């Protein structure tokens, strides 16, 4: 085939953005919230911004009986809520022509026969080219069944010239190590790892990706990013909200499964990993897995020394009185489910030997904040006399992921005047402000990446399992002893969490 | 006002209400050469850019015809308040009115005021020619030159001059706001040929029609130049019929005619049609609306259509897009070369 026919030569230039090949996104569990609130608005944004091909369609599947038009109306309502005032009627009309709905039970094989025929029809009528993304947005308990049915129907195969078949799985990837392995095993019976895209939307956030940019595009940080210079690291993922309407889900999950296993572990990996040789899927994920493997296993009988869990009582958050976790809807009145977790993790490798990573995640904290604080060693000696250096603390580099992305560096500076009084001063830079353009929504970025076939920002099977492996002893220990320490809403967690650092002569910073 | 006084005054302007210095997260220097009449508009654009591209803007308003030397410097800061902390992020503007002899030495004024270690964009919002008296010395300061080829009284001449400039490796890279404004069109035309079964049609294109108005001449020429340079078409002949131009190219699959029709009544660039062997393709925009429709036809049969947003139209957004780009834009240079060849016919 001549070169010009193999590729679209018009696209061969740096200023035209990549656009995926024609294709269909099939969403299982399409009547759920995620489709209307996140997935379809993100796809609409991509379509509006010329990042989707003309030959594109979405097929929603769930048990709720609905026509194509009713499905479109429901999605339009969701879009209006999510993108108030910015929806173009003309663009919607064009985009919505590619939205379809099939009512069906995802457990039944006949649903897949019907789906298969419908997708073939779309290929013929809309030129979608045989490319499929199967997005599992249904209950996790259905994941294995859907995969099995897809496989049995021959829909997971990628044959030469038949287009791609990609599977997207939303977290949680199992609920412990065993179930994660089981789920991965079930999926791998029908899909190859290359076809599987495990989404943790945290990785789609620009601000999270910026951790990599800060570390690996600035030569000044890497030489001091190790045990020679770093005393310890604190990672905080704090939310000011409670569980809200997610009580039933949270009762099953808890903070460890909901936040720590995925978001916190990802941030830990990005903070502690070695520089990847390239920003591609395998290079990046290899390095992340190495970090997870290097985390020292917590002995089950010593969990109390490494892990703290807490649950919020009623309290005050930013002037508003809020109820305790047990008073929330769909929560057992005697629930011990943790809404707060603090862990001390040790990364046993050359770079981080002896440097504790203290991580915490919780709900109903005083404010929403995600940050990584690298606390450096004290100066080995200061020439300034004792009284002059009161108030001088070790350097801290803080990478703020949200809400105000930036870095701050605590440095010592001379107080103006006679004498040589030195104090700590925060140098604060909101580097996000240098590029105040609206960052794409995390789902927008991830959906585009998966249609372009770039799995870099998705989780590999061994990453998901590695994260569970670290937490497994904690989960097992906590399942035997049901007590969560209490903390008042609007505080930074239970006293036991302060003690976790206090034993090491350290304390949590206030984000 | 000395350089030190300018810097001190800018620092004072950046101060928060409580007297603490405002943040300066600058990403570039933007040096603008303009006239008195356009100065207000340039200031408006710079202030709108401030939020997305915190920068130091040096707006130079020169009058070389005045005999007496006169120099007037004003400083201002445009600050955006950031999120919860209320911290300010500011763009700074230094406006320099130079008349008489100082107007012949703009570089000596701009140079000391540049923020160190940041790229310098030299922006000519008005008519541009490399023959402007101050241009070569100002270009020495710049990492990138940004012009608007549509602002020239004769876009064709301007594009020819830009073509030479873009090929001169001793000069900084050149960017053109008309090329930036053309990006959504190029993106939509490109997308028409993404499905593998349409690639053959791309090879078989034999006629292109571009409908524009007088403001869109530069974009229409660049669009034709881009298609020709990318698809390997060589300009062979040209015909001018009452303002409507027709260019004939020799391509890998034979002769291609590109017709530029200035008859658009409601949009600077209104429509582009491409005719392949079996299929015809169209991207069109109605009036100055923000949406554009793409269609694929086989004869009278509609094979596909969609409507998307064309994107950006405001000067500050187009300029912002250009400021994101670094380095030489080879596609633009190639399109310019072809346009220059077309206009020489």
């Amino acid at each position: 085939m001549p070169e010009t026919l193999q590729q679209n030569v018009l696209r061969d230039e740096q200023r035209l953005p990549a656009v995926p090949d024609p294709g269909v996104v099939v969403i299982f569990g399409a009547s759920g919230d995620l489709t209307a609130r996140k997935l379809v608005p993100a796809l609409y944004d991509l379509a509006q911004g010329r990042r989707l091909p003309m030959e594109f369609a979405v097929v929603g599947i769930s048990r709720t009986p609905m026509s194509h038009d009713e499905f479109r109306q429901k999605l339009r309502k969701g879009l209006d809520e999510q993108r108030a005032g910015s929806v173009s009627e003309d663009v919607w009309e064009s985009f919505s022509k590619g939205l379809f709905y099939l009512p069906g039970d995802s457990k039944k094989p006949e649903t897949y026969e019907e789906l298969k025929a419908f997708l073939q029809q779309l290929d013929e009528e809309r030129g979608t080219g045989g490319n499929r993304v199967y997005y599992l947005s249904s209950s996790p308990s259905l994941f294995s069944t859907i995969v099995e049915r897809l496989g049995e129907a021959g829909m997971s195969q990628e044959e030469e010239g038949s287009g791609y078949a990609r599977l997207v799985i939303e977290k949680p990837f199992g609920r412990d190590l065993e179930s994660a392995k089981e789920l991965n095993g079930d999926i791998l019976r029908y899909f190859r790892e290359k076809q599987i895209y495990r989404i943790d939307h945290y990785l789609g956030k620009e601000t999270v990706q910026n951790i990599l940019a800060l570390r690996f595009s600035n030569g000044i940080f890497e030489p001091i990013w190790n045990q020679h210079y770093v005393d310890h690291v604190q990672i905080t993922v704090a939310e000011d909200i409670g569980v809200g309407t997610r009580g039933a889900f949270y009762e099953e999950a808890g903070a460890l499964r909901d936040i720590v296993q995925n978001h916190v572990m990802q941030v830990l990996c990005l903070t502690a990993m070695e520089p990847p040789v390239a920003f591609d899927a395998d290079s990046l994920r290899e390095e992340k897995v190495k970090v997870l493997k290097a985390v020292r296993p917590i002995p089950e009988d010593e969990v109390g020394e490494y892990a703290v869990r807490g649950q919020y009582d009623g309290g005050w958050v930013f002037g508003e009185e809020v109820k305790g976790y047990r008073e929330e809807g769909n929560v057992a009145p005697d629930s011990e489910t943790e809404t707060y977790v603090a862990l001390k993790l040790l990364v046993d490798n050359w770079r981080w030997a002896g440097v504790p990573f203290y991580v915490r995640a919780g709900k109903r904290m005083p404010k929403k904040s995600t940050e990584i604080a690298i606390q450096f060693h004290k100066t080995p000696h200061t020439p300034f006399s004792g009284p002059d250096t009161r108030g001088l603390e070790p350097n801290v580099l803080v990478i703020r992921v949200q809400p105000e992305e930036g870095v701050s560096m605590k440095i010592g500076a001379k107080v103006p005047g006679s004498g040589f009084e030195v104090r700590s001063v925060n140098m604060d830079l909101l580097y996000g402000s240098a590029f105040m353009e609206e960052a794409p929504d995390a789902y927008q970025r991830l959906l585009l990446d998966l249609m372009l076939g770039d799995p870099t920002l998705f989780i590999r099977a061994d990453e998901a399992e590695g994260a569970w492996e670290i937490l497994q002893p904690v989960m097992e220990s906590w399942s035997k002893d049901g007590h969560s320490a209490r903390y008042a809403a609007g505080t930074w967690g239970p006293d036991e969490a302060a003690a976790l650092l206090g034993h090491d002569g350290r304390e949590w910073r206030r984000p | 006002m000395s350089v030190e006084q300018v810097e001190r005054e800018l620092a004072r302007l950046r101060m928060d209400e409580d007297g603490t210095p405002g943040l300066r997260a600058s990403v570039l220097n933007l040096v603008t050469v303009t006239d008195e009449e356009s100065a207000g508009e340039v200031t408006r654009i710079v202030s709108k850019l401030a939020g997305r591209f915190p920068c130091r803007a040096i707006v130079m308003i020169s009058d070389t015809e005045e005999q007496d030397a006169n120099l007037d410097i004003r400083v201002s800061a445009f600050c955006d308040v950031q999120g919860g902390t209320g911290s300010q992020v500011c763009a700074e503007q230094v406006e320099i009115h130079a008349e008489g002899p100082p107007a012949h030495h703009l570089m000596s004024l701009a140079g000391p005021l540049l923020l160190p270690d940041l790229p310098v964009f030299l922006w000519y919002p008005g008519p541009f020619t490399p023959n402007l008296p101050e241009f070569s010395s100002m270009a020495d300061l710049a990492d990138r030159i940004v012009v608007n080829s549509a602002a020239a009284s004769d876009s064709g001449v301007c594009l020819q001059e830009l073509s030479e400039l873009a090929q001169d490796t001793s000069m900084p890279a050149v960017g053109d706001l008309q090329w930036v404004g053309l990006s959504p069109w190029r993106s939509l035309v490109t997308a028409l040929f993404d499905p593998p079964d349409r690639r053959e049609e791309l090879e078989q294109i034999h006629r292109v029609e571009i409908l524009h108005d007088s403001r869109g001449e530069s974009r229409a020429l660049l669009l034709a130049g881009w298609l020709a340079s990318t698809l390997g078409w060589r300009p062979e002949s040209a015909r001018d019929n009452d303002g409507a131009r027709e260019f004939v190219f020799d391509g890998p699959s034979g002769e291609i005619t590109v017709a530029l029709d200035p008859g658009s009544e409601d949009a600077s660039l209104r429509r582009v049609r491409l005719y392949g062997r079996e299929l015809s393709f169209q991207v069109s925009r109605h009036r100055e609306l923000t949406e554009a429709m793409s269609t694929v036809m086989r004869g009278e049969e509609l094979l596909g259509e969609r409507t998307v947003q064309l994107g950006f139209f405001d000067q500050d957004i187009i300029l912002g897009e250009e400021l994101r780009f670094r380095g030489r834009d080879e596609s633009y240079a190639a399109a310019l070369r072809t346009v220059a060849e077309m206009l020489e016919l």
Side-chain angles (χ1 to χ4, degrees), chain B residues 232-248:
Chain B
W233 305 344
R234 285 188 309 278
E236 293 284 319
S237 64
R239 216 172 40 175
D240 197 329
N241 185 11
D242 249 1
R245 300 190 209 197
E246 204 165 86
F247 298 92
V248 177

Side-chain angles (χ1 to χ4, degrees), chain A residues 399-419:
Chain A
I399 304 171
R400 281 190 310 276
V401 177
Q402 59 183 14
E404 285 179 297
E405 185 188 15
V407 287
S408 68
M409 180 82 188
K410 193 191 280 185
I411 57 164
K414 182 182 174 301
V415 178
S418 59

Side-chain angles (χ1 to χ4, degrees), chain A residues 2 4-17 19-22 47-55 86 88-92 94-95 97 125-127 404 428-438, chain B residues 23 25 27 51-54 80 82-85 89 144 179-180 183-184 186-188 190-195 198-200 202-203 226 230-231 291 294 304-311 322 324-325 328-331:
Chain A
T4 49
L5 294 184
Q6 285 170 15
Q7 57 183 15
N8 181 357
V9 288
L10 294 178
R11 196 164 286 291
D12 185 25
E13 68 147 294
Q14 45 192 336
R15 285 177 92 155
L16 293 185
V19 173
D21 288 336
Q48 174 171 268
R50 309 180 302 280
R51 301 301 303 271
L52 288 184
M54 183 189 284
E55 302 76 14
S86 65
S88 152
E89 289 303 328
D90 289 345
V91 174
W92 168 257
S94 164
F95 173 72
K97 283 179 187 164
E125 291 174 2
R126 294 187 63 86
E404 285 179 297
D428 225 350
L429 172 66
L430 303 176
Y431 58 64
S433 65
F435 306 99
M436 267 183 37
E437 293 175 54
E438 215 162 296
Chain B
L23 296 165
V27 293
R52 291 183 305 133
F53 293 91
D80 266 28
Q82 296 284 298
T85 61
V89 173
R144 190 169 181 82
W179 180 247
V180 181
S183 294
R186 294 191 300 124
S187 174
L188 288 172
T190 299
L192 292 168
F193 300 97
D194 275 335
R198 304 234 186 96
R199 311 268 164 84
E200 203 171 339
L202 185 58
E203 289 235 309
W226 168 66
T230 312
L231 297 172
E291 288 91 8
S294 308
E305 69 170 337
R306 69 158 170 176
T307 303
V308 296
Q309 285 219 320
L310 261 182
E322 178 57 31
R324 291 164 59 124
F325 194 77
R328 292 182 185 271
D329 185 339
E330 297 301 339
S331 296

Side-chain angles (χ1 to χ4, degrees), chain A residues 315-345:
Chain A
W316 288 80
V317 178
F318 202 58
E320 185 192 347
E321 188 169 17
V322 297
K323 52 189 170 187
Y325 176 71
R326 291 177 180 178
E327 283 85 57
E328 303 274 14
N330 297 317
V331 170
D334 58 350
S335 171
E336 290 292 348
T337 301
E338 79 282 358
T339 60
Y340 174 95
V341 174
L343 298 172
K344 173 182 170 182
L345 300 172

Side-chain angles (χ1 to χ4, degrees), chain A residues 27 168-169 211 215 230 257 271 280 321 380 409 506:
Chain A
I27 304 173
V168 186
I169 306 172
I211 299 169
R215 284 195 58 197
V230 176
R257 290 183 173 89
T271 307
D280 60 36
E321 188 169 17
M409 180 82 188
R506 300 182 175 108

